[in-house]
Amino acid sequence: MAKRKICVVVTARPSYSRIRTALTAITNHPDLELQLVVAASALLDRYGKVSEHIKQEGFHINAQVYMVVEGENLVTSAKTTGVGLMELATVFDNLAPDIVVTIADRHETIATAIAAAFMNIPLAHVQGGEVTGSIDEKVRHAVTKLADYHLVATQRAAERVIRMGEDPASVFVTGCPSIDIAAQVLDEPDLTINPFEKYGGVGAEVNISNGYLVVMQHPVTTEYDRARKHVTETLHAVRDTGLPTLWFWPNVDAGSDGTSKGIRSFRELEQPANIHFFKNIPPEDFLRLIYHSRALIGNSSVAIRECSYLGIPAVNIGSRQLGRERGPNVVDVDYDRERIMQAIQTQVEAPRPEKVTLYGDGHAGERIAQTLADIPLKFTKRLTY
Amino acid sequence: MAKRKICVVVTARPSYSRIRTALTAITNHPDLELQLVVAASALLDRYGKVSEHIKQEGFHINAQVYMVVEGENLVTSAKTTGVGLMELATVFDNLAPDIVVTIADRHETIATAIAAAFMNIPLAHVQGGEVTGSIDEKVRHAVTKLADYHLVATQRAAERVIRMGEDPASVFVTGCPSIDIAAQVLDEPDLTINPFEKYGGVGAEVNISNGYLVVMQHPVTTEYDRARKHVTETLHAVRDTGLPTLWFWPNVDAGSDGTSKGIRSFRELEQPANIHFFKNIPPEDFLRLIYHSRALIGNSSVAIRECSYLGIPAVNIGSRQLGRERGPNVVDVDYDRERIMQAIQTQVEAPRPEKVTLYGDGHAGERIAQTLADIPLKFTKRLTY
Amino acid sequence: MAKRKICVVVTARPSYSRIRTALTAITNHPDLELQLVVAASALLDRYGKVSEHIKQEGFHINAQVYMVVEGENLVTSAKTTGVGLMELATVFDNLAPDIVVTIADRHETIATAIAAAFMNIPLAHVQGGEVTGSIDEKVRHAVTKLADYHLVATQRAAERVIRMGEDPASVFVTGCPSIDIAAQVLDEPDLTINPFEKYGGVGAEVNISNGYLVVMQHPVTTEYDRARKHVTETLHAVRDTGLPTLWFWPNVDAGSDGTSKGIRSFRELEQPANIHFFKNIPPEDFLRLIYHSRALIGNSSVAIRECSYLGIPAVNIGSRQLGRERGPNVVDVDYDRERIMQAIQTQVEAPRPEKVTLYGDGHAGERIAQTLADIPLKFTKRLTY
Amino acid sequence: MAKRKICVVVTARPSYSRIRTALTAITNHPDLELQLVVAASALLDRYGKVSEHIKQEGFHINAQVYMVVEGENLVTSAKTTGVGLMELATVFDNLAPDIVVTIADRHETIATAIAAAFMNIPLAHVQGGEVTGSIDEKVRHAVTKLADYHLVATQRAAERVIRMGEDPASVFVTGCPSIDIAAQVLDEPDLTINPFEKYGGVGAEVNISNGYLVVMQHPVTTEYDRARKHVTETLHAVRDTGLPTLWFWPNVDAGSDGTSKGIRSFRELEQPANIHFFKNIPPEDFLRLIYHSRALIGNSSVAIRECSYLGIPAVNIGSRQLGRERGPNVVDVDYDRERIMQAIQTQVEAPRPEKVTLYGDGHAGERIAQTLADIPLKFTKRLTY
């Protein structure tokens, strides 16, 4: 019997992290054949060119699609998605997959979802049913309504997807594959790398041997023009703690220009002595750095997901993760340098939080692959009420 | 105070019929300014070039966008939507509307929805919350998840939208503007035109003075390759009734080629003596012709909506309207020439069904305009559960 | 040594006819590997879906790209080319060819040329240097300026390309591959098929046993709105001759709607008893039908090219072939039913014209393949003056 | 009589400089109406957002079109042009210009040319007929073959255009509008600004009171991967002269990433004490800074054009300007730090070169406007041989 062709579209570095163990499990599954499409910011130098990394990890890329329309504003987010939709339709027409997999909720992922839905290809959505702020909220639930299968991270997410009118038989709680990597990191937790040597970066070379912070702050698209102001608050707070800090550059997004500009301007003017800035690095090293840190600061979902599993204190700033389920490791705080600094102090001084499996137990990738092998190949559905 | 700029995107003839009284009401509203964008099949000769009709009715078209990628298959449905998304983003960027209005659930309407949602323009969706078959089902509910405001036709639709997690304060039961036109037709019901003279068409010139059928059958996109077979069943059934019949050509859609081919082939081979074929005609004349007919046959939503208001018997064939609320005028039947013929006989012989206001009372256009003038200009939301 | 990857982009039925023997020769060449991309109207039902025909002839299609934006007007010609350019860039990025081959001068071929030129892939242009009317004239010479190699049909064409500033070392007189097929037809000239049985078509079933005409008339894009009027003149002339006629449907083009409408309307109203209408048929059968005809009428380049080789009288109507080199078989005439009819009479009664090798000797395909194997892989050039 | 609508498409900062005086002359002409479309890198922050500058100078922008597909490589150059072609067709369809004007030879300008040519809108090309290196060479001459009118800068250029087969009656020697600005600068040559105060920039704040160099070096697209190496040679040479230097950042182009990276890396590692880096600044200030400099270094066409008129020594590096006519002010040199340094020394020590009007006399803008008012509105042509 021919293997099922599973086409996974990766459009950004974080999406890759969140699907990688599933890619491996699909590759290894006797009944599945992986078709990997890499597109959008995953191809771009400015965002760490994760396509190269994907190849180095041994995956074959079936097609790559440049689709990011430059401008980093709201108009170009829409146009990027339009270009992607046009081209992914052609890619799917030529690859003829049995199932398409789309990941999470970045704006351009809806292009994958529409192309598959319109072409009567069964669509599996990984990581639906969560609640957050920003445009991601609209995209995520719209993709749920386009998808035939829902491979969700948590029980709560499954409940929400079903309440939105999806057939319970189409919803599977697999856990999040990003936790699989966290689980691997917990198995081999030693920090064997020197991040400055391995990844370069710019700014002060800080001493991380006595504890340090990790920061990752993304722009929030519905708060476009405030992105610069917001990141500046965090920069001041982190600088003022005086704690050695590894700061990781944000993703491509409407507004990333505001965030990037805020960071660049702060660096030029303030030359913070305790902060070193990095571009993206592979998730294992990133998670090991976090695992050995005193806290993760910013608005990355890593604070909510992986850090709950790893038991790492997190200071979550602003609205981006609003509504997402939290473990006991997270303290929320508004865009305010004073409060951010206080929250950092609190988290750094508190005892390590408990490890919880809210977002998965480390076997999500395998569960996703097996589900993709088992589900019927259907592409019609109807609201359940 | 500057008027609110309300940008309505019309992508097909039926969408125009379903929004026209709202366009008039927006134009006449003291606080609103209409920006009209005409796109997709609404510009094409093959589908009756409704753009010309729109101009003749006195509306100014602010921008027109050719976006239909030819092929009439599932690949090109997706690509059409991609082209539309790219270009509508540019159009919105140049027109700078305060609110964008998208209509119903044709595949390419999701391009309007995404462009507005991604550009932080409040999005109002007309005719969400209904349930049907085909890809429209996915598109309609995905647009609901992208929209900030829901101007729905029925109470049931409002309930569904709210159950999907939308804020009840964002849901308005306006009725369907298509019923407004039906109400106008009921006010002046006389059939003053001769359809053969006014609209030409091809095939037998049938005698309609003693009662006749009207047929409109669209392809169903998730049943692409069966479109030709399905229409052939209806053609045989209608031919075999021997009743004089006015048959209206379907819309652009993946599969319309199958339907069109089925019709062309039947005409060449069978030369049915009781059927005359028309392209699209304006809704008033169409509704008057239906009002004087003995029944509407096919899978058009007009059978469900306008005919419930007008009290006209309808034979609804197949899955396209599955799940939509029905008045007492509808008989459902499968794609089977025998059963279709029997259902036609039954409907033609039964007493006229009661008129009901399930889909509106004739004031939807005004309610939509007033709602657009009243709502706050917000573009963020969150699942209510 | 790895074979050179030769990527040929076929966007229409006539382009396929004009390159087919070269495709075979590339496939058979020990140093070359064929990458075949099929796009635009070559994928569409309405134009005979030549992609199916290509597969039946044993070629493997590496990628297919739907790109025709519907409307058949001048706006959509441009948009079609834009869609093609976007997508062909992705296709070339994924196929990584050593040389791209573009054929002739249809509007959308400039998309192939630009994608290759911008991506530093050596570009070979088949059939440059000719002179005609219509937008093709601009496209053809623009493609010459984008191309690195010029595989031209005639000595005159070579001279023109060189006069335009191209390096003589980059210009090769190969002859036109369409003549290769004509040469094969001359080797086996018997008409073994019944066109009505094999290809169906519509209209009167005419008796072709005592001589007949063949007609093929395309719209001329710079005379868009006159296309309908022009074809009507030809229809009248051909009808009035009373000669049995096989009429072949035109290509997709801005204006084809005018031509198509003219034909459809004439058929409905006049029901000409001596004309049978066909869609596209494979070139061998087409050429054999022409070879046994009394004359080819219309504005097809087949009249100029293949018919000069086959020695078939041709009546060339209007501006479309203006400037193209002619053999002794062609009579030119304006869009005027009287003159067209007279020219047909003259050609039908005159003795068969001499066969000439103006456009090739039947070995163009092999010469093109060998040239593609021999040329250096360069992609920079400079005006020679 | 209705004014002629002249639609000018500006896609980059340098194109704006080269057309600005013509825009003013069109605006002021009694028979002309300007329609201004701003697109591509002219909208982008990273390239100085010239659209803002255009508005500040009092021009009304009729439409703006984001079209740059990110990646800065050869694939995305092609895709950018494809997006532009699609969207400019829609823009022209909605603006309905009488003449479209396209400027020079950047890759994306061919989108403007094709859209106009395919839509039967007379196309005027400014700055054809020149000869240079890089992909611009192919684009420039291809645009010539698409254009109906040629408004060229020099007599030599006119001759070349005619030799390429264009009708001499369609060729006008207007001079280059960039010289108009240089002429205005010569009228008011005083350097009244402090560039560091007015434009910020990064790097050493150098003392420019005793003479200084200006550098502008663009990547060369057919030498994509060497862009970084090339700019590094220039950086070393300029650093090693020890002369105070104002370095201006390059344009968006395939390869600009290489150039940008080279500059960023050199800055980080070498921290050159004599170089200050700027983004784009308005042409008047730029030309005044050049006018007071000791030499212009790099591969900008300003060295060839404006500097010949201003009589400023220039060191032109590499192949980008190869073939362009030169005045006595230019010394050419290869990508080699030693030779570049020697050429700078030579130029700095030599007497000021003579001013020449090779590229215009300062009235090009007016001549262009008058020509656009006078020419017949034709859009067909034919090779003259």
Side-chain angles (χ1 to χ4, degrees), chain B residues 127 142 197 223 248 255 354 377:
Chain B
Q127 247 181 51
E197 278 176 14
E223 297 167 345
F248 292 84
E354 185 194 0
L377 296 178

Side-chain angles (χ1 to χ4, degrees), chain A residues 35-187:
Chain A
Q35 295 180 323
L36 187 56
V37 178
V38 180
S41 71
L43 293 170
L44 298 180
D45 266 3
R46 279 211 287 166
Y47 304 98
K49 203 157 191 167
V50 74
S51 56
E52 288 309 313
H53 188 58
I54 290 173
K55 285 183 215 161
Q56 283 158 18
E57 299 203 330
F59 293 109
H60 170 67
I61 295 177
N62 293 68
Q64 57 181 29
V65 180
Y66 289 93
M67 57 186 259
V68 177
V69 177
E70 191 164 344
E72 291 178 17
N73 55 40
L74 302 167
V75 187
T76 56
S77 288
K79 298 183 76 159
T80 291
T81 306
V83 174
L85 177 47
M86 285 178 61
E87 301 225 29
L88 290 171
T90 301
V91 166
F92 295 164
D93 187 36
N94 285 303
L95 292 180
D98 294 302
I99 299 175
V100 164
V101 177
T102 191
I103 306 154
D105 50 28
R106 283 180 56 85
H107 59 84
E108 76 276 3
T109 60
I110 204 168
T112 303
I114 294 173
F118 283 20
M119 292 171 70
N120 285 353
I121 306 168
L123 175 67
H125 182 210
V126 172
Q127 246 179 51
E130 305 188 13
V131 174
T132 62
S134 100
I135 184 68
D136 300 354
E137 177 76 5
K138 288 182 178 173
V139 170
R140 186 185 316 108
H141 304 318
V143 172
T144 291
K145 302 313 294 182
L146 294 164
D148 302 291
Y149 294 101
H150 313 277
L151 313 180
V152 303
T154 73
Q155 195 56 45
R156 254 326 285 288
E159 287 159 19
R160 286 199 201 94
V161 167
I162 291 165
R163 285 190 69 179
M164 278 190 274
E166 298 299 300
D167 179 358
S170 70
V171 184
F172 302 86
V173 181
T174 60
C176 178
S178 63
I179 304 299
D180 300 2
I181 302 176
Q184 292 163 8
V185 163
L186 264 197
D187 286 348

Side-chain angles (χ1 to χ4, degrees), chain A residues 136-258:
Chain A
D136 300 354
E137 177 76 5
K138 288 182 178 173
V139 170
R140 186 185 316 108
H141 304 318
V143 172
T144 291
K145 302 313 294 182
L146 294 164
D148 302 291
Y149 294 101
H150 313 277
L151 313 180
V152 303
T154 73
Q155 195 56 45
R156 254 326 285 288
E159 287 159 19
R160 286 199 201 94
V161 167
I162 291 165
R163 285 190 69 179
M164 278 190 274
E166 298 299 300
D167 179 358
S170 70
V171 184
F172 302 86
V173 181
T174 60
C176 178
S178 63
I179 304 299
D180 300 2
I181 302 176
Q184 292 163 8
V185 163
L186 264 197
D187 286 348
E188 299 181 50
D190 288 355
L191 185 63
T192 57
I193 62 149
N194 175 328
F196 309 104
E197 279 176 15
K198 188 161 176 190
Y199 297 112
V202 296
E205 180 149 344
V206 301
N207 177 0
I208 61 171
S209 57
N210 298 313
Y212 56 92
L213 303 177
V214 173
V215 185
M216 186 172 234
Q217 183 156 339
H218 300 277
V220 177
T221 52
T222 49
E223 297 166 344
Y224 175 64
D225 44 7
R226 282 170 284 168
R228 182 167 179 169
K229 189 182 159 304
H230 289 163
V231 78
T232 304
E233 292 299 302
T234 308
L235 283 157
H236 275 283
V238 166
R239 199 263 315 270
D240 294 352
T241 65
L243 293 169
T245 299
L246 309 182
W247 188 301
F248 290 84
W249 212 252
N251 253 330
V252 65
D253 254 320
S256 76
D257 223 53

